[in-house]
Amino acid sequence: MPATLDEAYRVQEASRAAWPDEIGGWKVGGVPPAYLDRFDARSLAGPIWQKSIRVAGAGLNEMPVYDGGFAAIEPEFVFRLGTSREEDRMFIGAEIASSPVPAINDHGPAAVICDFGNNNGLLLGPEVPDWRNRRAPIAVRTDIDGKEVGAVSAGFEPALDALAFLVALSQDRCFELPEGTLVSSGAITGVHEAPVGAVSTVDFGDLGRFDLKLIPATSL
């Protein structure tokens, strides 16, 4: 196990170089409070691979996860980066967290960083219009198999903090964030663990909603 987050990111960098796909985005997650006395960061990041990104349709959107491993659904605000921060756009979406390691989170943030941030996909929903001028909080609700598992009123400040963290990390670790990169900015209603076959509705109030189903990944 890496002793530091720097070592963990070096493992991730070696794995990214060997992975047979292009990076389409990045996820930002939090370092659990129990580890804040050991590590000097409150956030962590991992790549979102291009082949794992889906655009939400009107029907049931199928998202692969590791059967027998860890899987979770996380409603998030998603940035699509422009050529400058002034040109960034925002969307609603859901990160699909999944790992072949069932107890990945129990091993702490160093393990999560090594494992691509425990990301296995991103479901991109509708765009948030004129998001910079929106002041009212957004009602976000997550249902899994017909039962509410999380509901909050959310603003954009945590998402902007997550984006700032990723920009700083990219400069520190010398990776690019080109125009069009998607940034999934952190769980809004929580990290909702769910098994293969689970059906979820993610509702962002007047901004839209979408349905998804977790299906088994066909290969590692």
Side-chain angles (χ1 to χ4, degrees):
M1 184 72 69
T4 67
L5 298 190
D6 175 68
E7 291 179 11
Y9 280 116
R10 281 191 272 133
V11 172
Q12 186 194 106
E13 288 158 6
S15 298
R16 294 201 315 255
W19 199 256
D21 197 359
E22 299 295 323
I23 294 176
W26 292 85
K27 67 80 55 83
V28 177
V31 173
Y35 292 90
L36 293 178
D37 60 341
R38 289 180 50 193
F39 301 114
D40 59 354
R42 293 183 174 274
S43 301
L44 57 83
I48 302 174
W49 299 106
Q50 188 66 50
K51 293 177 182 176
S52 73
I53 298 171
R54 306 282 188 275
V55 176
L60 194 59
N61 299 274
E62 295 184 336
M63 301 298 292
V65 294
Y66 293 104
D67 197 2
F70 177 87
I73 300 162
E74 304 178 23
E76 312 211 354
F77 294 120
V78 182
F79 294 99
R80 175 174 284 158
L81 302 187
T83 56
S84 67
R85 295 288 73 80
E86 289 74 22
E87 297 179 2
D88 292 343
R89 297 160 64 188
M90 180 182 284
F91 297 75
I92 62 173
E95 180 195 354
I96 304 302
S98 188
S99 167
V101 181
I104 180 68
N105 289 325
D106 293 344
H107 296 287
V112 171
I113 289 169
C114 290
D115 196 12
F116 297 147
N118 191 17
N119 174 269
N120 200 55
L122 176 65
L123 186 59
L124 190 66
E127 185 168 3
V128 180
D130 196 27
W131 64 273
R132 288 180 179 82
N133 294 319
R134 179 159 185 146
R135 298 292 179 265
I138 297 161
V140 185
R141 170 180 166 142
T142 307
D143 291 356
I144 297 178
D145 291 335
K147 180 181 179 181
E148 181 183 298
V149 295
V152 299
S153 292
F156 297 140
E157 291 81 4
L160 289 166
D161 290 343
L163 178 58
F165 163 79
L166 183 67
V167 170
L169 183 71
S170 73
Q171 295 168 348
D172 182 53
R173 305 209 65 86
C174 300
F175 62 85
E176 296 183 353
L177 295 173
E179 181 181 4
T181 298
L182 298 174
V183 179
S184 193
S185 63
I188 298 172
T189 63
V191 178
H192 307 298
E193 292 190 47
V196 167
V199 174
S200 176
T201 297
V202 180
D203 192 325
F204 284 79
D206 65 297
L207 297 180
R209 56 179 283 174
F210 48 82
D211 299 316
L212 65 93
K213 180 178 181 179
L214 300 184
I215 63 171
T218 56
S219 67
L220 298 180

